[in-house]
Amino acid sequence: MELIADLLSTSFDGVSWVTLVLLILVGFSAGWVDAVVGGGGLLQLPVLLTVPGISPVQALATNKLGSIFGTTTSALTYIRRVRPSLRTAAPTALAALAASYLGAKVAAWLPEQVITPVIVLALLGVGIFTAAKPQVGRLERLRHVGLGHLARAVGVGAVVGFYDGVLGPGTGTFLIIGLVMVLGFNFLNASAHAKIVNAATNLGALLSFGPAGHVLVGLGLLLGAANLLGGYTGARMAIAKGSQFVRVIFLVVVFALVAKLGWDLLAEWF
């Protein structure tokens, strides 16, 4: 009990009430965005980095603790109301969990300055394609069945899970991209499957970050409570409004990701 108390108390050392309130508001917003299309980490990480004395790896690890509450809540909401195929989601989530754990382990050796431009170009291409093809993701047109379907789903989970362990921004968005483009899901069903897989990638990263002592537990739990409420609200709204609503939010988040990552690149280069 004393150890838990110490972990909680040290998380808030030097953190002002203004920052705590901002974290709660941002955590709710991030949970909402994550529940609909992913990308909530874009909101949480910059605010976490304003916490006095926090390191980038602590911010990333604490963000994962907060996010897992939101993704798990929204995943359970989707399971109850949309009923995604667990035969697809479960093995995809397991592959993503393992890949995320591996990605978190090898993150230090991968050249982020090379990976980020590729991600920006990929996101930009997907955003333009989705905007130019309004029919994509509106209707369910599954392209594969049986083992072919499962193998491709697991492949998407493994690739995006590894990315989540290494970098992280927009993981849920990339999952939806893969499930829509590769498998032919509509946006709502893709979002439902993506939330299950995203919860697994968060867990995989935490299994790596946690034992290393990078997680600020108190801040993570505070963010987790806000994420939980945001995730539930976002999932309910996405389910009520359907694939077209998810598609619109998807495009907004994709181009926001492009703008954020592109700005970061320009800041590094100039």
Side-chain angles (χ1 to χ4, degrees):
M1 291 298 292
E2 290 183 5
L3 176 60
I4 294 174
D6 289 342
L7 286 171
L8 291 174
S9 62
T10 54
S11 294
F12 298 104
D13 286 347
V15 183
S16 69
W17 282 105
V18 174
T19 301
L20 290 176
V21 171
L22 183 59
L23 282 170
I24 292 170
L25 294 175
V26 168
F28 178 87
S29 301
W32 190 95
V33 171
D34 263 338
V36 181
V37 291
L42 280 178
L43 301 174
Q44 283 188 164
L45 275 173
V47 178
L48 275 170
L49 287 168
T50 68
V51 173
I54 197 170
S55 68
V57 70
Q58 285 177 321
L60 181 60
T62 304
N63 176 63
K64 293 298 181 189
L65 178 57
S67 296
I68 198 170
F69 284 86
T71 52
T72 302
T73 300
S74 54
L76 292 173
T77 304
Y78 278 116
I79 288 171
R80 288 198 305 269
R81 296 177 178 272
V82 178
R83 300 190 181 281
S85 170
L86 295 183
R87 288 186 177 183
T88 298
T92 305
L94 287 174
L97 187 153
S100 178
Y101 178 84
L102 178 62
K105 288 293 186 186
V106 303
W109 295 290
L110 291 180
E112 183 176 340
Q113 67 272 21
V114 175
I115 295 173
T116 304
V118 175
I119 293 169
V120 171
L121 290 175
L123 278 170
L124 187 59
V126 167
I128 292 171
F129 178 81
T130 304
K133 300 282 187 179
Q135 73 276 16
V136 172
R138 294 185 68 179
L139 300 175
E140 192 95 340
R141 293 191 179 96
L142 297 182
R143 299 188 180 92
H144 310 282
V145 295
L147 289 177
H149 170 89
L150 187 59
R152 287 169 174 82
V154 168
V156 169
V159 170
V160 180
F162 183 81
Y163 164 77
D164 191 28
V166 175
L167 293 172
T171 294
T173 309
F174 276 115
L175 284 169
I176 291 174
I177 289 171
L179 293 170
V180 170
M181 302 293 189
V182 177
L183 298 178
F185 283 125
N186 64 39
F187 273 107
L188 182 61
N189 207 12
S191 188
H193 284 78
K195 293 296 92 56
I196 298 170
V197 179
N198 203 179
T201 65
N202 284 333
L203 177 59
L206 278 174
L207 289 174
S208 177
F209 287 131
H214 296 309
V215 181
L216 299 179
V217 177
L219 287 178
L221 292 177
L222 182 71
L223 279 173
N227 266 256
L228 188 152
L229 292 174
Y232 179 75
T233 306
R236 290 289 298 269
M237 187 173 292
I239 292 164
K241 294 186 176 294
S243 284
Q244 181 58 23
F245 171 75
V246 177
R247 178 182 181 273
V248 171
I249 303 300
F250 172 84
L251 286 171
V252 171
V253 171
V254 163
F255 287 114
L257 273 166
V258 169
K260 170 66 168 60
L261 294 174
W263 178 263
D264 290 345
L265 279 176
L266 289 175
E268 288 179 10
W269 292 343
F270 300 104

